[in-house]
Amino acid sequence: MHSPRLLALAALLLVSSARAQEQDNEPPAAPEAPKAPETVPQTPTPPAGESEGSLKLPSAFGTVAVGGRFSIREAVDAKGADAWAGKLSIPAARLEVTYSWKKTLRAVVEFDIADGLSGLKDAYAWLNISGGFAIRAGQFKVPLSLVELESTTRLPLVRRGLLRDVLNDGLGQTGRSLGAQLEWKCTGCTRALKLRAGVWQLGGDEKIAVQNGLGLTPGFRGTWEVLDSLELGASALGSSSSQWTAGFDVRHALPLGPTELRTWAEVLVGRTTQLVGSDGPLLMGRALTAWRIGGSKKGALYIEPFVMLSALDTNLQLQDDRLWELGGGLNFGQRNRWRFQAQVESRRAEASVPAAVKSLDNSLAERRAVMLQMEVSF
């Protein structure tokens, strides 16, 4: 009675066994060759401003970001043999508005309320052209010094010390000036390679004759990311054989677990008549290193000690005319939000520093200072 069912079941088992044996005897399928990674051309990234912008208003016509920075500082210093004296100040009360459309167009306006009517800082437009080229025009930082180019919020310093007084206040070669700049970024390179060249109006607002170059000073800067953590740079700025400055620099960031060792170093050479009255060759350098403990992401707590050494030889043909400055301090706060800063400085001059250098603003010759600052970024 059950024999037909038993025969059918036996037949099904035989067929299944035969199929399984055929699958076992089939050679294994060859593994798929790994796909070669596609090289995606990189488009130039719009330049970042002082602030990332905590308020963003997107629309079909682009994005408007609003950010800023506020700081209050107590500085106690003694110039030369003078007695110690202190002053409470607001070095920055800045508001920055940035308009961007895709990765093609960017316009930035930054105003420092603490500087009153002269408080306009950045005011420029940036346009991505094609093939890695972009153009920037307006008022922005002259690309000569690595440390002077770096945003205040990214540096551990309360102030930038001796070379800031020389390059910005003494020579007027850094800081923000009106100009136009052509930028290029290698779109097919595995390591970032960037070049920029432009002209800047460094001599004031008065009109300059065409035959005198319209008062524009040409400049150039190139950077190459040798490693993920190491960038080399070179720059030059000048209007004649007796008025020029050129430099080489390096920026390094070394992650060490939850900490990061950050370093900036630069050496600049040149000629100028503004410091000693003759166009003798000058040499200056600065090295800054900071060890950030914590703060691996925005808003995380961190502490960061730092030290900076600066030096200036006003004329390599003169003897005993060098200036030295040693500074150091500590930062504590929440990354990119707020921080407390403390910094000390000691500047010394050799016996034959020219009188013209001593008479410059901020007393380039000798200074001791202690500074406390609180800074909030938004």
mmCIF file with all atom_site columns, all heavy atoms in Angstrom, residues 5-21:
data_model
loop_
_atom_site.group_PDB
_atom_site.id
_atom_site.type_symbol
_atom_site.label_atom_id
_atom_site.label_alt_id
_atom_site.label_comp_id
_atom_site.label_asym_id
_atom_site.label_entity_id
_atom_site.label_seq_id
_atom_site.pdbx_PDB_ins_code
_atom_site.Cartn_x
_atom_site.Cartn_y
_atom_site.Cartn_z
_atom_site.occupancy
_atom_site.B_iso_or_equiv
_atom_site.pdbx_formal_charge
_atom_site.auth_seq_id
_atom_site.auth_comp_id
_atom_site.auth_asym_id
_atom_site.auth_atom_id
_atom_site.pdbx_PDB_model_num
ATOM 1   N N   . ARG A 1 5  ? 4.604  5.298  -2.572  1.00 0.00 ? 5  ARG A N   1
ATOM 2   C CA  . ARG A 1 5  ? 5.119  6.486  -1.874  1.00 0.00 ? 5  ARG A CA  1
ATOM 3   C C   . ARG A 1 5  ? 6.591  6.310  -1.513  1.00 0.00 ? 5  ARG A C   1
ATOM 4   O O   . ARG A 1 5  ? 7.384  7.247  -1.606  1.00 0.00 ? 5  ARG A O   1
ATOM 5   C CB  . ARG A 1 5  ? 4.311  6.754  -0.613  1.00 0.00 ? 5  ARG A CB  1
ATOM 6   C CG  . ARG A 1 5  ? 2.869  7.161  -0.921  1.00 0.00 ? 5  ARG A CG  1
ATOM 7   C CD  . ARG A 1 5  ? 2.122  7.437  0.355   1.00 0.00 ? 5  ARG A CD  1
ATOM 8   N NE  . ARG A 1 5  ? 0.752  7.827  0.086   1.00 0.00 ? 5  ARG A NE  1
ATOM 9   C CZ  . ARG A 1 5  ? -0.149 8.097  1.040   1.00 0.00 ? 5  ARG A CZ  1
ATOM 10  N NH1 . ARG A 1 5  ? 0.216  8.024  2.313   1.00 0.00 ? 5  ARG A NH1 1
ATOM 11  N NH2 . ARG A 1 5  ? -1.384 8.425  0.718   1.00 0.00 ? 5  ARG A NH2 1
ATOM 12  N N   . LEU A 1 6  ? 6.940  5.087  -1.058  1.00 0.00 ? 6  LEU A N   1
ATOM 13  C CA  . LEU A 1 6  ? 8.337  4.840  -0.706  1.00 0.00 ? 6  LEU A CA  1
ATOM 14  C C   . LEU A 1 6  ? 9.253  4.939  -1.912  1.00 0.00 ? 6  LEU A C   1
ATOM 15  O O   . LEU A 1 6  ? 10.366 5.472  -1.834  1.00 0.00 ? 6  LEU A O   1
ATOM 16  C CB  . LEU A 1 6  ? 8.476  3.456  -0.067  1.00 0.00 ? 6  LEU A CB  1
ATOM 17  C CG  . LEU A 1 6  ? 7.823  3.301  1.319   1.00 0.00 ? 6  LEU A CG  1
ATOM 18  C CD1 . LEU A 1 6  ? 7.866  1.845  1.775   1.00 0.00 ? 6  LEU A CD1 1
ATOM 19  C CD2 . LEU A 1 6  ? 8.526  4.195  2.340   1.00 0.00 ? 6  LEU A CD2 1
ATOM 20  N N   . LEU A 1 7  ? 8.760  4.435  -3.083  1.00 0.00 ? 7  LEU A N   1
ATOM 21  C CA  . LEU A 1 7  ? 9.570  4.538  -4.308  1.00 0.00 ? 7  LEU A CA  1
ATOM 22  C C   . LEU A 1 7  ? 9.789  5.991  -4.720  1.00 0.00 ? 7  LEU A C   1
ATOM 23  O O   . LEU A 1 7  ? 10.883 6.403  -5.126  1.00 0.00 ? 7  LEU A O   1
ATOM 24  C CB  . LEU A 1 7  ? 8.906  3.754  -5.440  1.00 0.00 ? 7  LEU A CB  1
ATOM 25  C CG  . LEU A 1 7  ? 8.937  2.215  -5.285  1.00 0.00 ? 7  LEU A CG  1
ATOM 26  C CD1 . LEU A 1 7  ? 8.080  1.568  -6.374  1.00 0.00 ? 7  LEU A CD1 1
ATOM 27  C CD2 . LEU A 1 7  ? 10.367 1.713  -5.365  1.00 0.00 ? 7  LEU A CD2 1
ATOM 28  N N   . ALA A 1 8  ? 8.725  6.797  -4.608  1.00 0.00 ? 8  ALA A N   1
ATOM 29  C CA  . ALA A 1 8  ? 8.852  8.229  -4.983  1.00 0.00 ? 8  ALA A CA  1
ATOM 30  C C   . ALA A 1 8  ? 9.825  8.954  -4.077  1.00 0.00 ? 8  ALA A C   1
ATOM 31  O O   . ALA A 1 8  ? 10.642 9.776  -4.510  1.00 0.00 ? 8  ALA A O   1
ATOM 32  C CB  . ALA A 1 8  ? 7.476  8.910  -4.940  1.00 0.00 ? 8  ALA A CB  1
ATOM 33  N N   . LEU A 1 9  ? 9.738  8.654  -2.761  1.00 0.00 ? 9  LEU A N   1
ATOM 34  C CA  . LEU A 1 9  ? 10.643 9.319  -1.808  1.00 0.00 ? 9  LEU A CA  1
ATOM 35  C C   . LEU A 1 9  ? 12.090 8.925  -2.069  1.00 0.00 ? 9  LEU A C   1
ATOM 36  O O   . LEU A 1 9  ? 13.002 9.757  -2.026  1.00 0.00 ? 9  LEU A O   1
ATOM 37  C CB  . LEU A 1 9  ? 10.231 8.926  -0.384  1.00 0.00 ? 9  LEU A CB  1
ATOM 38  C CG  . LEU A 1 9  ? 11.060 9.550  0.755   1.00 0.00 ? 9  LEU A CG  1
ATOM 39  C CD1 . LEU A 1 9  ? 10.991 11.070 0.698   1.00 0.00 ? 9  LEU A CD1 1
ATOM 40  C CD2 . LEU A 1 9  ? 10.554 9.044  2.113   1.00 0.00 ? 9  LEU A CD2 1
ATOM 41  N N   . ALA A 1 10 ? 12.297 7.610  -2.404  1.00 0.00 ? 10 ALA A N   1
ATOM 42  C CA  . ALA A 1 10 ? 13.652 7.152  -2.694  1.00 0.00 ? 10 ALA A CA  1
ATOM 43  C C   . ALA A 1 10 ? 14.216 7.834  -3.928  1.00 0.00 ? 10 ALA A C   1
ATOM 44  O O   . ALA A 1 10 ? 15.390 8.207  -3.991  1.00 0.00 ? 10 ALA A O   1
ATOM 45  C CB  . ALA A 1 10 ? 13.659 5.637  -2.874  1.00 0.00 ? 10 ALA A CB  1
ATOM 46  N N   . ALA A 1 11 ? 13.348 8.008  -4.955  1.00 0.00 ? 11 ALA A N   1
ATOM 47  C CA  . ALA A 1 11 ? 13.803 8.686  -6.181  1.00 0.00 ? 11 ALA A CA  1
ATOM 48  C C   . ALA A 1 11 ? 14.225 10.118 -5.899  1.00 0.00 ? 11 ALA A C   1
ATOM 49  O O   . ALA A 1 11 ? 15.217 10.619 -6.417  1.00 0.00 ? 11 ALA A O   1
ATOM 50  C CB  . ALA A 1 11 ? 12.688 8.647  -7.240  1.00 0.00 ? 11 ALA A CB  1
ATOM 51  N N   . LEU A 1 12 ? 13.443 10.870 -5.064  1.00 0.00 ? 12 LEU A N   1
ATOM 52  C CA  . LEU A 1 12 ? 13.790 12.260 -4.730  1.00 0.00 ? 12 LEU A CA  1
ATOM 53  C C   . LEU A 1 12 ? 15.123 12.348 -4.000  1.00 0.00 ? 12 LEU A C   1
ATOM 54  O O   . LEU A 1 12 ? 15.935 13.229 -4.245  1.00 0.00 ? 12 LEU A O   1
ATOM 55  C CB  . LEU A 1 12 ? 12.687 12.881 -3.864  1.00 0.00 ? 12 LEU A CB  1
ATOM 56  C CG  . LEU A 1 12 ? 11.369 13.199 -4.582  1.00 0.00 ? 12 LEU A CG  1
ATOM 57  C CD1 . LEU A 1 12 ? 10.314 13.648 -3.585  1.00 0.00 ? 12 LEU A CD1 1
ATOM 58  C CD2 . LEU A 1 12 ? 11.584 14.283 -5.632  1.00 0.00 ? 12 LEU A CD2 1
ATOM 59  N N   . LEU A 1 13 ? 15.348 11.411 -3.084  1.00 0.00 ? 13 LEU A N   1
ATOM 60  C CA  . LEU A 1 13 ? 16.612 11.418 -2.346  1.00 0.00 ? 13 LEU A CA  1
ATOM 61  C C   . LEU A 1 13 ? 17.790 11.168 -3.258  1.00 0.00 ? 13 LEU A C   1
ATOM 62  O O   . LEU A 1 13 ? 18.856 11.788 -3.129  1.00 0.00 ? 13 LEU A O   1
ATOM 63  C CB  . LEU A 1 13 ? 16.576 10.363 -1.242  1.00 0.00 ? 13 LEU A CB  1
ATOM 64  C CG  . LEU A 1 13 ? 15.626 10.661 -0.064  1.00 0.00 ? 13 LEU A CG  1
ATOM 65  C CD1 . LEU A 1 13 ? 15.547 9.456  0.879   1.00 0.00 ? 13 LEU A CD1 1
ATOM 66  C CD2 . LEU A 1 13 ? 16.103 11.887 0.703   1.00 0.00 ? 13 LEU A CD2 1
ATOM 67  N N   . LEU A 1 14 ? 17.628 10.223 -4.248  1.00 0.00 ? 14 LEU A N   1
ATOM 68  C CA  . LEU A 1 14 ? 18.710 9.939  -5.188  1.00 0.00 ? 14 LEU A CA  1
ATOM 69  C C   . LEU A 1 14 ? 19.041 11.148 -6.042  1.00 0.00 ? 14 LEU A C   1
ATOM 70  O O   . LEU A 1 14 ? 20.193 11.468 -6.304  1.00 0.00 ? 14 LEU A O   1
ATOM 71  C CB  . LEU A 1 14 ? 18.338 8.746  -6.068  1.00 0.00 ? 14 LEU A CB  1
ATOM 72  C CG  . LEU A 1 14 ? 18.346 7.382  -5.364  1.00 0.00 ? 14 LEU A CG  1
ATOM 73  C CD1 . LEU A 1 14 ? 17.759 6.312  -6.291  1.00 0.00 ? 14 LEU A CD1 1
ATOM 74  C CD2 . LEU A 1 14 ? 19.753 6.997  -4.938  1.00 0.00 ? 14 LEU A CD2 1
ATOM 75  N N   . VAL A 1 15 ? 17.983 11.853 -6.541  1.00 0.00 ? 15 VAL A N   1
ATOM 76  C CA  . VAL A 1 15 ? 18.204 13.053 -7.383  1.00 0.00 ? 15 VAL A CA  1
ATOM 77  C C   . VAL A 1 15 ? 18.928 14.140 -6.595  1.00 0.00 ? 15 VAL A C   1
ATOM 78  O O   . VAL A 1 15 ? 19.868 14.789 -7.059  1.00 0.00 ? 15 VAL A O   1
ATOM 79  C CB  . VAL A 1 15 ? 16.870 13.566 -7.935  1.00 0.00 ? 15 VAL A CB  1
ATOM 80  C CG1 . VAL A 1 15 ? 17.050 14.919 -8.612  1.00 0.00 ? 15 VAL A CG1 1
ATOM 81  C CG2 . VAL A 1 15 ? 16.289 12.558 -8.909  1.00 0.00 ? 15 VAL A CG2 1
ATOM 82  N N   . SER A 1 16 ? 18.486 14.368 -5.327  1.00 0.00 ? 16 SER A N   1
ATOM 83  C CA  . SER A 1 16 ? 19.127 15.408 -4.505  1.00 0.00 ? 16 SER A CA  1
ATOM 84  C C   . SER A 1 16 ? 20.582 15.082 -4.246  1.00 0.00 ? 16 SER A C   1
ATOM 85  O O   . SER A 1 16 ? 21.457 15.944 -4.288  1.00 0.00 ? 16 SER A O   1
ATOM 86  C CB  . SER A 1 16 ? 18.386 15.547 -3.167  1.00 0.00 ? 16 SER A CB  1
ATOM 87  O OG  . SER A 1 16 ? 17.036 15.921 -3.399  1.00 0.00 ? 16 SER A OG  1
ATOM 88  N N   . SER A 1 17 ? 20.853 13.762 -3.994  1.00 0.00 ? 17 SER A N   1
ATOM 89  C CA  . SER A 1 17 ? 22.236 13.359 -3.737  1.00 0.00 ? 17 SER A CA  1
ATOM 90  C C   . SER A 1 17 ? 23.105 13.555 -4.960  1.00 0.00 ? 17 SER A C   1
ATOM 91  O O   . SER A 1 17 ? 24.244 13.999 -4.878  1.00 0.00 ? 17 SER A O   1
ATOM 92  C CB  . SER A 1 17 ? 22.252 11.886 -3.294  1.00 0.00 ? 17 SER A CB  1
ATOM 93  O OG  . SER A 1 17 ? 23.574 11.455 -3.109  1.00 0.00 ? 17 SER A OG  1
ATOM 94  N N   . ALA A 1 18 ? 22.535 13.235 -6.150  1.00 0.00 ? 18 ALA A N   1
ATOM 95  C CA  . ALA A 1 18 ? 23.305 13.414 -7.385  1.00 0.00 ? 18 ALA A CA  1
ATOM 96  C C   . ALA A 1 18 ? 23.633 14.878 -7.634  1.00 0.00 ? 18 ALA A C   1
ATOM 97  O O   . ALA A 1 18 ? 24.728 15.240 -8.042  1.00 0.00 ? 18 ALA A O   1
ATOM 98  C CB  . ALA A 1 18 ? 22.521 12.825 -8.567  1.00 0.00 ? 18 ALA A CB  1
ATOM 99  N N   . ARG A 1 19 ? 22.665 15.778 -7.407  1.00 0.00 ? 19 ARG A N   1
ATOM 100 C CA  . ARG A 1 19 ? 22.896 17.225 -7.616  1.00 0.00 ? 19 ARG A CA  1
ATOM 101 C C   . ARG A 1 19 ? 23.965 17.764 -6.654  1.00 0.00 ? 19 ARG A C   1
ATOM 102 O O   . ARG A 1 19 ? 24.818 18.559 -7.026  1.00 0.00 ? 19 ARG A O   1
ATOM 103 C CB  . ARG A 1 19 ? 21.599 17.997 -7.430  1.00 0.00 ? 19 ARG A CB  1
ATOM 104 C CG  . ARG A 1 19 ? 20.626 17.785 -8.579  1.00 0.00 ? 19 ARG A CG  1
ATOM 105 C CD  . ARG A 1 19 ? 19.365 18.585 -8.381  1.00 0.00 ? 19 ARG A CD  1
ATOM 106 N NE  . ARG A 1 19 ? 18.455 18.445 -9.501  1.00 0.00 ? 19 ARG A NE  1
ATOM 107 C CZ  . ARG A 1 19 ? 17.228 18.959 -9.523  1.00 0.00 ? 19 ARG A CZ  1
ATOM 108 N NH1 . ARG A 1 19 ? 16.780 19.643 -8.491  1.00 0.00 ? 19 ARG A NH1 1
ATOM 109 N NH2 . ARG A 1 19 ? 16.456 18.787 -10.574 1.00 0.00 ? 19 ARG A NH2 1
ATOM 110 N N   . ALA A 1 20 ? 23.875 17.305 -5.399  1.00 0.00 ? 20 ALA A N   1
ATOM 111 C CA  . ALA A 1 20 ? 24.864 17.754 -4.421  1.00 0.00 ? 20 ALA A CA  1
ATOM 112 C C   . ALA A 1 20 ? 26.262 17.308 -4.801  1.00 0.00 ? 20 ALA A C   1
ATOM 113 O O   . ALA A 1 20 ? 27.232 18.043 -4.651  1.00 0.00 ? 20 ALA A O   1
ATOM 114 C CB  . ALA A 1 20 ? 24.504 17.220 -3.031  1.00 0.00 ? 20 ALA A CB  1
ATOM 115 N N   . GLN A 1 21 ? 26.373 16.072 -5.346  1.00 0.00 ? 21 GLN A N   1
ATOM 116 C CA  . GLN A 1 21 ? 27.680 15.562 -5.751  1.00 0.00 ? 21 GLN A CA  1
ATOM 117 C C   . GLN A 1 21 ? 28.239 16.353 -6.928  1.00 0.00 ? 21 GLN A C   1
ATOM 118 O O   . GLN A 1 21 ? 29.417 16.641 -7.008  1.00 0.00 ? 21 GLN A O   1
ATOM 119 C CB  . GLN A 1 21 ? 27.563 14.072 -6.090  1.00 0.00 ? 21 GLN A CB  1
ATOM 120 C CG  . GLN A 1 21 ? 28.931 13.415 -6.325  1.00 0.00 ? 21 GLN A CG  1
ATOM 121 C CD  . GLN A 1 21 ? 28.816 11.914 -6.477  1.00 0.00 ? 21 GLN A CD  1
ATOM 122 O OE1 . GLN A 1 21 ? 27.713 11.377 -6.471  1.00 0.00 ? 21 GLN A OE1 1
ATOM 123 N NE2 . GLN A 1 21 ? 29.952 11.240 -6.618  1.00 0.00 ? 21 GLN A NE2 1
#
